[in-house]
Amino acid sequence: MTTIANDLRLIKTVDNLKNYLIAAMKIEHATIPPYMTALYSIKPGTNLEAFHIIRGVAVEEMLHLTLVANVYNAVGGTFEPNTALLAPDFIPKYPSYLPTGSTDFQVGLGKFSQETVETFRKIERSQHVKEDEPLVASRALEEYLFDIIGYQPNRSFYTIGLFYTEIIRGLFALDKEYQQKGENLFCGDPKRQITPEYYYNGGGDIIPVTDIDSAIRALTVIQEQGEGSTNDRIFDAERELAHDYRFQQILLGQYYVIDKDDPTTKSDQPNQPTGKHFTVDWDSVYPIKENAALSDYPDGSEVRQAALDFQSAYSEFLTKIQYSFDGHPEHLIPAVGGMFRLKEQANTLMRNPIPGTPGVNAAPIFRIDQPSLS
Amino acid sequence: MIDINSPEFEYFLNLSVVLTGFSRFHLQGTGVAHLYFETIRDILGEELFGELLNIFHGLELEKTEQSIFSDRLRSEILASEKFGPITRNIIKVWYMATWYALPLSWRDVFGTKEKDRTFIISPQAYPEGLLWTAIGVNPPGAKGPGYGTWSEPPLVSLNQG
């Protein structure tokens, strides 16, 4: 891993690394509003299997966000006001490309549908690249939404996993450089780490990061939960089904089977699940406005007020998460509790038709509240 | 046939706003308005339910002043021997997600309806009861506020109505 030619590596300084990690938080988060929107558009009491599959993935994205924050803190990252999770461009303006720079598909906020689940599979798609090859494909400079590859604006990562592979390569190389200089890349205060006592059962184990080994472990969990461990397997190192295949189950209406004792030879092959069948009722879904914006809601309507309330609650949620990452780990659990309230607010919106638009229901808006000018 | 696409459903929502004190947005936001409408219709029968909703709609059409409207609602619906117990039941449905069997005195006069027995309307309706919002708590055993939040102040606000 450390033998790769230096010119293939994009992360050459700790500042590069920190930018990549902030971008990683942006990527992890960018998937949450789409997953939440589809999830809550399902009518209560229906599509239970699909609901739990999407929910499980969304919860793991929260874990990933937290793991990245741990790596960021471990290498001395700090959270300045209006940066990171609270930067004006932290939440993509949906529909949007993923912040990996990939521009072959866009992610939007839509109801639970076959099309939506297909997009979710693309988000979680995998592609494995040999260690001695570059991870980004050259592409023409085009409309550019995200500055994360700011250093390499003409390149993009095909998958989220490859983006992390770049970070892992960078970490190894920087760690070696620092050691040779007699310095420690992992200079962050361990008290800023989110440790298991501050993180409860949210999609896997939280890993406190204090050195290169724990950093790699944390990032590997993210890669593998998303994509599985190699191209021809459906499961990750924890023997859990990779996200892409979890979503595929919804489209096929059938579960994959993983043999936990002998996963390699006895588990299902990709695209050939053999588990229990389940029913997906694509109609038992609220007909919500896709990629809703505040301007979709009439002035003075309750729907508009509720959408604004949701937006504020979401901003507050991110504010609290950032505060907990910024040296106050004990604030994380109450902040995550706030997510449950967001669910109720989202549900209320989605069950209400937009006044003057029969047959189209409201949907939550994910924006950071702009500081008021007054 | 009255169903969720007929005007009576709108009358039902408007009546529910008046009876519960919660906004239409909040009531629809529970996600169980259709279910309640259909459940009550199936218990009472279309004729009786339709009659109540149309009387209410008549009051709405003739509404000029709020105080007169409220007085008429009281005297013509809530105090009515026929519709009083039904409207009180509708309030209980919204607040407790439960239909209570109509009182014996009502059944003696208007007859016993086959489906008129006390029951919780659905597992999804229970946590949506307005009672929980009204008193500012989470519905016990549902809408879990997350691990460890029991040591935090309640998150349900009192002014969602």
Side-chain angles (χ1 to χ4, degrees):
Chain A
M1 195 71 82
T2 48
T3 60
I4 59 160
N6 214 36
D7 59 346
L8 291 179
R9 188 156 62 82
L10 300 178
I11 299 173
K12 295 180 176 164
T13 67
V14 74
D15 282 339
N16 290 160
L17 176 66
K18 286 176 188 169
N19 280 323
Y20 266 74
L21 290 168
I22 286 178
M25 290 187 244
K26 205 160 149 182
I27 292 172
E28 294 305 332
H29 170 270
T31 63
I32 292 175
Y35 292 158
M36 273 176 81
T37 302
L39 186 64
Y40 297 147
S41 74
I42 294 173
K43 288 190 180 172
T46 71
N47 287 312
L48 294 180
E49 296 85 357
F51 185 92
H52 286 290
I53 289 169
I54 301 174
R55 185 182 185 280
V57 174
V59 167
E60 289 190 1
E61 304 301 346
M62 274 305 297
L63 171 70
H64 297 177
L65 180 65
T66 311
L67 287 170
V68 175
N70 272 356
V71 178
Y72 181 71
N73 272 318
V75 298
T78 54
F79 293 87
E80 307 303 328
N82 303 318
T83 66
L85 278 65
L86 304 178
D89 61 351
F90 180 72
I91 307 179
K93 199 166 188 309
Y94 300 100
S96 138
Y97 299 112
L98 276 188
T100 51
S102 250
T103 53
D104 59 324
F105 74 100
Q106 286 197 321
V107 179
L109 305 176
K111 67 177 182 182
F112 175 69
S113 70
Q114 275 163 296
E115 195 192 345
T116 303
V117 178
E118 294 282 6
T119 305
F120 291 174
R121 288 199 66 193
K122 284 189 190 144
I123 294 175
E124 306 284 350
R125 70 188 171 186
S126 63
Q127 189 191 56
H128 296 266
V129 170
K130 288 187 193 146
E131 283 187 16
D132 56 352
E133 289 174 3
L135 302 170
V136 292
S138 289
R139 66 180 179 78
L141 186 60
E142 45 195 308
E143 79 264 48
Y144 217 66
L145 295 171
F146 302 99
D147 57 350
I148 45 135
I149 322 222
Y151 300 94
Q152 298 283 328
N154 59 336
R155 291 175 162 188
S156 68
F157 294 92
Y158 182 72
T159 71
I160 295 176
L162 294 181
F163 177 80
Y164 279 107
T165 304
E166 189 73 56
I167 295 179
I168 290 172
R169 286 182 178 182
L171 266 170
F172 270 121
L174 284 172
D175 183 56
K176 203 174 164 192
E177 271 176 44
Y178 271 62
Q179 286 192 22
Q180 282 166 354
K181 286 191 287 182
E183 291 172 22
N184 187 3
L185 176 64
F186 297 90
C187 60
D189 182 352
K191 288 200 198 76
R192 292 168 67 86
Q193 292 294 308
I194 305 287
T195 50
E197 60 190 301
Y198 301 121
Y199 195 88
Y200 175 73
N201 190 22
D205 292 334
I206 191 75
I207 298 169
V209 176
T210 50
D211 55 17
I212 186 74
D213 289 346
S214 47
I216 302 305
R217 276 213 321 279
L219 297 174
T220 308
V221 165
I222 300 175
Q223 276 187 313
E224 295 208 346
Q225 281 193 339
E227 306 186 345
S229 43
T230 62
N231 271 342
D232 53 353
R233 288 185 193 161
I234 58 172
F235 52 87
D236 63 19
E238 323 261 78
R239 303 176 181 191
E240 299 288 341
L241 191 61
H243 289 179
D244 177 17
Y245 295 112
R246 290 199 216 173
F247 288 134
Q248 191 189 27
Q249 296 177 122
I250 301 174
L251 298 169
L252 299 174
Q254 189 175 11
Y255 285 113
Y256 275 106
V257 178
I258 295 173
D259 187 310
K260 300 256 173 178
D261 298 322
D262 186 1
T264 313
T265 56
K266 291 193 179 153
S267 298
D268 286 346
Q269 294 299 308
N271 308 319
Q272 295 165 2
T274 64
K276 268 170 64 176
H277 288 269
F278 57 87
T279 316
V280 180
D281 182 355
W282 299 104
D283 294 325
S284 194
V285 175
Y286 293 109
I288 56 165
K289 174 84 185 168
E290 228 173 272
N291 300 312
L294 201 56
S295 55
D296 293 319
Y297 304 135
D299 279 335
S301 64
E302 277 188 275
V303 166
R304 187 184 178 93
Q305 188 53 50
L308 280 168
D309 290 346
F310 180 91
Q311 177 178 303
S312 298
Y314 199 79
S315 296
E316 198 188 317
F317 168 66
L318 288 181
T319 306
K320 286 180 174 169
I321 298 284
Q322 173 136 321
Y323 184 70
S324 69
F325 289 169
D326 191 21
H328 307 93
E330 70 282 7
H331 285 263
L332 186 60
I333 281 175
V336 171
M339 268 191 109
F340 291 83
R341 176 121 185 265
L342 287 171
K343 176 193 174 187
E344 306 307 328
Q345 289 180 289
N347 277 337
T348 305
L349 274 164
M350 290 181 175
R351 292 162 178 172
N352 269 282
I354 301 175
T357 320
V360 182
N361 285 16
I365 294 170
F366 297 85
R367 305 295 317 149
I368 301 261
D369 275 344
Q370 294 308 312
S372 108
L373 297 171
S374 59
Chain B
M1 179 68 187
I2 65 169
D3 60 28
I4 53 164
N5 298 312
S6 47
E8 279 82 359
F9 178 66
E10 295 297 311
Y11 310 162
F12 171 69
L13 282 179
N14 292 346
L15 172 64
S16 297
V17 168
V18 174
L19 292 177
T20 63
F22 279 85
S23 74
R24 206 180 149 100
F25 176 82
H26 192 102
L27 295 180
Q28 296 214 93
T30 62
V32 284
H34 288 173
L35 176 67
Y36 288 167
F37 178 83
E38 288 169 344
T39 304
I40 298 167
R41 177 198 63 196
D42 291 348
I43 294 167
L44 298 175
E46 285 191 23
E47 199 180 321
L48 184 59
F49 192 36
E51 190 184 346
L52 166 64
L53 296 176
N54 280 289
I55 290 175
F56 172 75
H57 184 56
L59 297 186
E60 276 190 310
L61 290 178
E62 292 162 20
K63 176 175 173 179
T64 46
E65 279 178 47
Q66 182 62 37
S67 63
I68 298 172
F69 174 72
S70 298
D71 286 347
R72 289 190 68 190
L73 186 83
R74 280 199 188 86
S75 61
E76 293 174 39
I77 294 180
L78 285 165
S80 146
E81 192 187 3
K82 188 174 181 182
F83 295 115
I86 296 175
T87 43
R88 280 187 281 284
N89 259 19
I90 294 174
I91 296 172
K92 291 179 201 164
V93 163
W94 278 111
Y95 273 81
M96 270 116 79
T98 304
W99 175 268
Y100 288 86
L102 286 160
L104 187 60
S105 55
W106 189 92
R107 284 183 275 145
D108 284 345
V109 180
F110 301 102
T112 299
K113 304 286 180 188
E114 195 188 328
K115 294 181 181 166
D116 175 27
R117 58 190 167 79
T118 300
F119 66 103
I120 293 176
I121 295 191
S122 85
Q124 287 76 39
Y126 155 76
E128 301 297 341
L130 302 179
L131 166 68
W132 314 117
T133 317
I135 64 174
V137 300
N138 271 51
K143 295 193 181 182
Y147 174 81
T149 51
W150 43 78
S151 61
E152 304 294 322
L155 287 173
V156 180
S157 86
L158 287 167
N159 52 11
Q160 286 185 1

